[in-house]
Amino acid sequence: MIAESEVTNEVDRLHAAHQATIADLRHAIDLATSESTTVVSILESYLMIASDPIITQAIIKRIESGASAEAAVVDEFDVHKTFLYSARDQLLRERVQDFEHVVERMLAALRNRTLSHELRSDSIVVAGTITPHDMLFFKRMSTIGFITEVGGVTSHSCILAREYGIPAVIGIRNATDLIGDGDEIIVDGFTGLVVVRPNDATLQSYHKRMAEQSRERSELASLAALPSVTRDGQTVVLRANIDTAIDADAAVAVGCDGVGLVRTETMLVAFGRYPNADEQYQWYRSILERCGTSSVTFRAFDVGSDKFREGIPHHEENPALGLRGIRFLLYRPDIFEQQIEAILRASVHGDVKFMLPMISSIEELDAARRIMDHTIASLHSRGVAINASIPIGVMIETPAAALLARSFAERVQFLSIGTNDLAQYTLATDRTNELVADIFDAMHPAVVRLIAQTVDAANEVGIPVSVCGELAGHAAATELLLGLGLRELSVAPSLALELKHRIRMAESVACADAVATVLTCTSTTEVYAVLQSLQAGDHGRMIT
Ligand code: PEP
Ligand code: MG
């Protein structure tokens, strides 16, 4: 607590620290601009928090009631952190870290200290949390691994570690107590295991695994430039699922033929709000510019359920069955229009497709089209350059959409099967609930039949159909999907080369034969058994 006579001085200290924090963040943004658009957007969200006038006013009020500047900053941010901690949405809970980073910077500025790092190259960083700003620094220092005490797999630092390809294990409580400076550590990002001071046998086995992995990786790397074609000459278009512009670079590097799914809602997480049409336009454009002439499919914001929930009016008991995807977009046409406008403006910079999530009725498609037509007319009247005829597609991720696939196929330019949600809704199994994880399987015969029905509908009408759910990258599913007649698959860039390898090993005729049997299966176990026998038959063939 401070005396009344100290209030003015404390408020001055706060203002100085505030200015320093903002200047520091702006400087960091400048530095990051050439490095990573993701880091820039994260730092921008820090800047937004730090510059929030309501928060600043509240801190000043606390000082005026007798708190020191430091205490006022900590107490005010604690209120916001507690509010976020209690959110049902995990993504919102993870935003607590953003507030912590801003507090840390403000406190450092108040104490007139600069944060500094000392690090040898080839180090593993062990910390409570790691800021994206730190990440940039660590990457420059050739850090080889990260361990943090808190955070989730969707936290920004984790997203970056993945982008940089640096192994990270998160959520190890007391890691900073248990691990000492200079300790030898193994960070196994595949299993989430950390071994401190490993014995010789463990070290040796990990060295062996690392050597195997780098051999496998370099063997696969040679596939990047080779065509994605089966042994019997069927070409399979291999596209990427991406969340950020940096992912687009990764997609190009592994030889993907464009992007089959941009989960645009990740932009909302990075901004922490709905960006305006100009901000969105820049984001879409930066992806298109990286993809050259290859096509890029932007999916409209899939808001709701376990994803970004900003704008959903109240708590939902069953959010996965609630105001999600297209339902939310039709509920908030203002948000939908802004996104359509930004995508149409960006469409002059590349080969753009636009896709609607969570569709379950023709009425939703018609309503979306009306909004689109209205936006096109308004852009035309303002003289804005756009490509008004970008292909429109729907995602088939509800049983209703799969059963009506033929009707959708007659009304759109392409279909894309979201097997994650198609399995969730067909099997009535929450995809985020570990208690029912053993029931959630897109290889369930009911899901397989819905996929088959969708592919047939698209083929009958003569429009392209792809799979962009996780099943597309599933090691056991490649033959199934080829046998079902799929010739377009979209996966995370990190899975693309392995998938291409499996495609190049496959014989489409044999796959189709096996699928005829799969379609008679009545259990998931049987489906796996049929596919396994097919793969056993392929065993031992050379990769060419
Ligand atoms: C899907 O549901 O399969 C899909 C690709 O969409 P998301 O995982 O983003 O829901
Ligand atoms: Mg989905």
Side-chain angles (χ1 to χ4, degrees):
M1 298 300 286
I2 53 162
E4 214 182 313
S5 57
E6 290 172 290
V7 167
T8 315
N9 187 35
E10 286 298 283
V11 172
D12 286 349
R13 283 182 64 226
L14 176 78
H15 282 315
H18 192 223
Q19 294 309 321
T21 305
I22 288 173
D24 183 31
L25 282 168
R26 292 215 169 106
H27 178 62
I29 290 170
D30 285 347
L31 280 180
T33 303
S34 59
E35 285 274 353
S36 160
T37 49
T38 314
V39 177
V40 171
S41 54
I42 294 164
L43 290 170
E44 277 170 350
S45 62
Y46 293 177
L47 189 59
M48 252 176 45
I49 297 170
S51 335
D52 189 322
I54 298 174
I55 296 182
T56 311
Q57 273 315 313
I59 296 173
I60 292 173
K61 263 213 168 109
R62 285 178 188 273
I63 296 176
E64 286 166 351
S65 332
S68 68
E70 282 89 345
V73 166
V74 170
D75 291 350
E76 181 55 29
F77 277 97
D78 270 352
V79 173
H80 297 274
K81 280 159 50 186
T82 310
F83 177 71
L84 286 174
Y85 261 132
S86 61
R88 282 169 63 96
D89 182 349
Q90 194 198 344
L91 287 174
L92 274 181
R93 286 201 301 276
E94 285 175 5
R95 294 290 69 79
V96 167
Q97 286 180 33
D98 295 357
F99 279 76
E100 274 169 0
H101 297 321
V102 175
V103 173
E104 196 186 326
R105 277 169 188 278
M106 293 270 281
L107 291 180
L110 276 169
R111 291 172 191 151
N112 214 0
R113 283 192 334 208
T114 15
L115 300 174
S116 67
H117 311 82
E118 245 181 72
L119 198 66
R120 291 188 300 272
S121 60
D122 282 357
S123 292
I124 291 171
V125 173
V126 185
T129 60
I130 293 173
T131 68
H133 188 198
D134 293 333
M135 271 286 181
L136 264 183
F137 172 82
F138 291 141
K139 186 188 149 238
R140 287 201 191 121
M141 299 295 293
S142 312
T143 302
I144 55 169
F146 294 104
I147 300 168
T148 67
E149 295 181 336
V150 293
V153 284
T154 54
S155 70
H156 288 137
S157 299
C158 254
I159 294 170
L160 282 176
R162 257 197 300 277
E163 275 182 15
Y164 294 156
I166 303 175
V169 172
I170 51 162
I172 304 282
R173 279 213 193 135
N174 305 327
T176 51
D177 294 334
L178 298 171
I179 302 169
D181 241 352
D183 272 348
E184 194 163 30
I185 322 170
I186 294 170
V187 178
D188 183 346
F190 288 107
T191 58
L193 197 73
V194 173
V195 188
V196 187
R197 297 178 289 278
N199 62 25
D200 284 348
T202 311
L203 260 181
Q204 257 176 26
S205 89
Y206 268 98
H207 275 304
K208 211 169 130 211
R209 276 176 59 185
M210 280 171 71
E212 276 165 16
Q213 263 162 30
S214 77
R215 187 174 41 77
E216 278 168 18
R217 225 173 286 140
S218 54
E219 272 177 22
L220 282 175
S222 65
L223 290 183
L226 296 179
S228 168
V229 58
T230 62
R231 300 171 71 83
D232 52 348
Q234 290 289 322
T235 297
V236 181
V237 179
L238 210 52
R239 297 211 167 94
N241 293 348
I242 66 165
D243 292 339
T244 64
I246 304 286
D247 292 349
D249 289 338
V252 172
V254 294
C256 284
D257 187 4
V259 175
L261 166 65
V262 183
R263 287 186 165 98
T264 60
E265 58 278 3
T266 26
M267 178 185 12
L268 309 179
V269 178
F271 276 85
R273 61 183 165 86
Y274 289 95
N276 62 34
D278 287 339
E279 291 166 323
Q280 289 187 49
Y281 161 77
Q282 293 298 346
W283 198 84
Y284 302 133
R285 184 178 170 172
S286 71
I287 290 178
L288 289 167
E289 281 171 351
R290 289 166 143 95
C291 293
T293 53
S294 304
S295 77
V296 176
T297 304
F298 292 109
R299 176 174 72 184
F301 295 138
D302 187 10
V303 169
S305 191
D306 62 321
K307 302 191 181 185
F308 189 78
R309 294 186 55 82
E310 188 71 35
I312 293 182
H314 56 75
H315 164 76
E316 295 175 303
E317 284 304 330
N318 287 308
L321 303 181
L323 205 55
R324 180 185 168 183
I326 191 68
R327 302 169 184 186
F328 174 79
L329 297 170
L330 296 178
Y331 171 81
R332 285 293 303 269
D334 54 326
I335 291 174
F336 196 20
E337 270 171 34
Q338 287 233 321
Q339 182 172 36
I340 295 171
E341 172 179 329
I343 288 175
L344 286 169
R345 280 170 52 196
S347 68
V348 296
H349 300 291
D351 181 358
V352 172
K353 296 181 186 170
F354 188 46
M355 171 158 88
L356 305 170
M358 252 314 258
I359 289 275
S360 59
S361 73
I362 298 290
E363 286 86 340
E364 287 168 338
L365 173 62
D366 291 345
R369 253 192 216 291
R370 280 196 294 277
I371 294 179
M372 189 138 181
D373 290 345
H374 169 78
T375 313
I376 289 173
S378 141
L379 287 165
H380 276 323
S381 71
R382 283 156 48 201
V384 180
I386 57 167
N387 173 4
S389 50
I390 56 171
I392 310 293
V394 294
M395 288 199 71
I396 301 295
E397 45 188 358
T398 63
L403 292 167
L404 289 177
R406 171 81 198 222
S407 306
F408 282 113
E410 285 163 356
R411 288 166 172 79
V412 294
Q413 281 80 51
F414 65 97
L415 301 180
S416 187
I417 308 174
T419 50
N420 309 335
D421 280 313
L422 188 58
Q424 156 161 273
Y425 295 120
T426 305
L427 306 175
T429 307
D430 181 350
R431 62 193 259 197
T432 66
N433 183 344
E434 68 281 4
L435 297 176
V436 288
D438 56 337
I439 306 174
F440 182 92
D441 195 331
M443 297 276 224
H444 188 291
V447 183
V448 172
R449 288 181 203 190
L450 288 175
I451 299 173
Q453 192 166 326
T454 305
V455 176
D456 291 347
N459 288 341
E460 278 159 27
V461 178
I463 59 162
V465 55
S466 67
V467 168
C468 64
E470 298 305 296
L471 191 67
H474 192 312
T478 309
E479 289 82 0
L480 170 72
L481 298 173
L482 295 178
L484 284 167
L486 280 148
R487 294 295 178 264
E488 283 189 29
L489 299 173
S490 193
V491 295
S494 56
L495 300 177
L497 290 175
E498 284 175 40
L499 174 57
K500 192 189 274 187
H501 167 62
R502 290 194 297 274
I503 290 169
R504 290 172 61 85
M505 297 273 287
E507 196 97 50
S508 73
V509 177
C511 295
D513 288 348
V515 163
T517 315
V518 167
L519 290 173
T520 64
C521 290
T522 48
S523 75
T524 312
T525 321
E526 274 179 59
V527 173
Y528 275 104
V530 175
L531 293 172
Q532 228 158 36
S533 63
L534 179 67
Q535 283 159 3
D538 271 348
H539 194 72
R541 288 186 183 171
M542 293 284 294
I543 315 170
T544 49

